[in-house]
Amino acid sequence: MTVPPPIIAPSILAADFSRLAEEVRAVEDAADWLHVDVMDNHFVPNLTIGLPVVQSLRAATKLPFDVHLMIMDPKRWAPGYADAGAYNVTFHAEACDDPVALARDLRAAGARAGLAIDRDTPIEPYLDLLPSFDTLLIMTIKAGFGGQRFIPQMLDKVRAVRQHVAAGHLDLRIEVDGGIAADTIEQAAAAGVDAFVAGTAVYGADDPAEAVHRLRGLAERAAPDA
Ligand code: DX5
Ligand code: ZN
């Protein structure tokens, strides 16, 4: 089993928002994507940022935006993030009646389409939809807050998807989000993850860029074909 080289995506949820542009620049040369968590206080209890902030931030960095929408009614809002220049727009399966149609809309708007699966949602009903997506985001916590503990049982979903991707020759990034740090990233990489979101592990570190490099090295060495 071979997997692509790892993507490391720092989550700005753990950054100091009073100096957000500097925090983003701190990982500019180290990271692959910038993970942007949009929460609406309905799909999840927490409330973060929305489209105007993402539009402003777009001008502050060259990093591709990996927008993670934890919102109700993504059909209404998600294409706006693609129009704002997001590289990848991920919405939650639990919040969408017709994920394939929305994926089509996102691709038509020039973005890659991502499907997110929360902690309590099984993966099996979604396997046949994966050819419509570029990214599958498997939550390794319950969506809503940073700083939670990684749930290793979620890697069973990763292994199921990795097999499905290999058997179907799908071009799909398998991403995990929640509790990814130096002591958890290797098991995720070994299970077949190739994109890693890390908030606390990056922005809680003294040197965020160094933390990204370290995570990347651990993921590379633990990958199945390494
Ligand atoms: C939480 C967010 C995550 C969060 C991860 O629902 O989707 O992206 O920032 O934070 P850590 O890496 O601290 O678990
Ligand atoms: Zn996220």
Side-chain angles (χ1 to χ4, degrees):
M1 180 168 74
T2 58
V3 301
I7 293 284
I8 307 293
S11 166
I12 58 168
L13 193 60
D16 175 354
F17 272 66
S18 72
R19 34 190 299 279
L20 189 52
E22 291 155 66
E23 293 271 72
V24 170
R25 276 195 289 275
V27 297
E28 177 106 38
D29 296 331
D32 301 285
W33 298 347
L34 192 72
H35 186 79
V36 180
D37 287 306
V38 174
M39 306 189 194
D40 67 349
N41 177 229
H42 288 276
F43 181 70
V44 290
N46 204 358
L47 179 67
T48 57
I49 60 168
L51 192 52
V53 176
V54 173
Q55 286 167 332
S56 297
L57 196 58
R58 187 54 289 178
T61 175
K62 292 193 187 59
L63 282 172
F65 281 4
D66 177 35
V67 173
H68 178 193
L69 299 175
M70 285 160 276
I71 62 171
M72 305 295 281
D73 200 10
K75 185 175 172 30
R76 175 172 173 191
W77 300 105
Y81 290 87
D83 293 340
Y87 172 72
N88 183 79
V89 180
T90 291
F91 59 89
H92 268 265
E94 303 84 7
C96 189
D97 292 336
D98 191 348
V100 170
L102 184 47
R104 203 180 303 125
D105 291 349
L106 287 169
R107 285 174 165 180
R112 294 164 53 115
L115 185 69
I117 305 288
D118 208 351
R119 180 193 66 187
D120 300 329
T121 303
I123 190 68
E124 287 73 18
Y126 298 99
L127 290 176
D128 289 343
L129 276 47
L130 295 181
S132 297
F133 287 89
D134 304 290
T135 310
L136 180 73
L137 176 60
I138 295 176
M139 296 304 298
T140 39
I141 54 168
K142 172 90 177 145
F145 296 91
Q148 301 183 64
R149 191 188 298 264
F150 175 81
I151 305 168
Q153 289 78 9
M154 297 297 111
L155 296 181
D156 290 344
K157 297 184 196 178
V158 171
R159 285 183 274 267
V161 175
R162 179 52 71 191
Q163 275 192 357
H164 198 78
V165 165
H169 305 287
L170 300 182
D171 185 10
L172 181 82
R173 282 278 178 186
I174 304 177
E175 185 175 19
V176 283
D177 186 2
I180 294 297
D183 61 346
T184 56
I185 195 168
E186 291 166 293
Q187 53 186 297
V193 174
D194 56 43
F196 303 85
V197 177
T200 308
V202 170
Y203 282 112
D206 291 340
D207 183 341
E210 166 58 28
V212 171
H213 290 309
R214 178 157 181 239
L215 291 171
R216 184 191 309 285
L218 290 167
E220 281 172 353
R221 288 191 290 279
D225 58 342

